[in-house]
Amino acid sequence: MKVTAPGITIDLPPGWEAEIDSGAGVEDARDVGVQTPRVHIGNFPLPAVRGDFGSGAVEQMIGGDALVCLLEEAPAAAGSELHSHRGVPRLSPEQFSPHAMQRPLHGQSGTQVFFTENGRAFVLYAVLGSHASRTSMVPEINDVLARIAID
């Protein structure tokens, strides 16, 4: 199944769902009022109401669940030192930590990576329903990440 929005296409593998909206707002004074795409991708049913970094969804996650949040940042951030990684990143199990969660939840772990793709700055935040399953789940997340095209 393909999910598309202006400049972002995701060809989802079976068992995954995604929603793209313009819900993320930028905080950069040079870009006041700009709405940027917010992408949520999960291998479980995504609740209708979610925060930028998955609040509302992470509380429902169980052992084999994974959530990927991709938020575009202010145009001025593209290519900055923070966003110096080029291209949609691939993750490793070692990057996940219970301490990397936006809000710690028992047993879960997360990671956050900043990057630039085609002149656009993004933050990628991924959450696993079980820190113990990171070795088996990260390849599934990387498969999803490889299916994201950003124009």
Side-chain angles (χ1 to χ4, degrees):
M1 175 176 83
K2 280 193 178 182
V3 178
T4 62
I8 300 175
T9 302
I10 309 165
D11 187 8
L12 293 167
W16 288 77
E17 64 179 65
E19 290 186 17
I20 305 172
D21 64 29
S22 60
V26 298
E27 299 292 330
D28 190 319
R30 294 168 285 192
D31 298 303
V32 172
V34 173
Q35 290 291 304
T36 57
R38 176 179 74 168
V39 181
H40 290 142
I41 310 166
N43 66 350
F44 63 100
L46 297 173
V49 178
R50 297 174 308 278
D52 288 350
F53 291 93
S55 60
V58 294
E59 295 83 0
Q60 297 180 18
M61 293 174 68
I62 59 173
D65 292 346
L67 175 70
V68 175
C69 304
L70 182 66
L71 294 97
E72 187 166 6
E73 304 225 279
S80 68
E81 186 175 339
L82 180 63
H83 296 85
S84 63
H85 178 88
R86 299 285 184 211
V88 178
R90 300 305 180 263
L91 304 174
S92 69
E94 296 76 26
Q95 288 177 275
F96 284 83
S97 168
H99 305 292
M101 296 288 294
Q102 294 288 330
R103 185 170 47 90
L105 294 169
H106 180 72
Q108 294 185 0
S109 66
T111 189
Q112 185 168 293
V113 180
F114 297 85
F115 68 96
T116 297
E117 173 74 348
N118 286 326
R120 297 168 68 181
F122 290 88
V123 58
L124 169 70
Y125 178 62
V127 177
L128 298 173
S130 168
H131 180 69
S133 69
R134 65 193 178 283
T135 302
S136 62
M137 291 303 303
V138 169
E140 290 187 40
I141 291 173
N142 283 333
D143 179 43
V144 169
L145 295 175
R147 296 166 176 258
I148 298 173
I150 299 171
D151 298 334

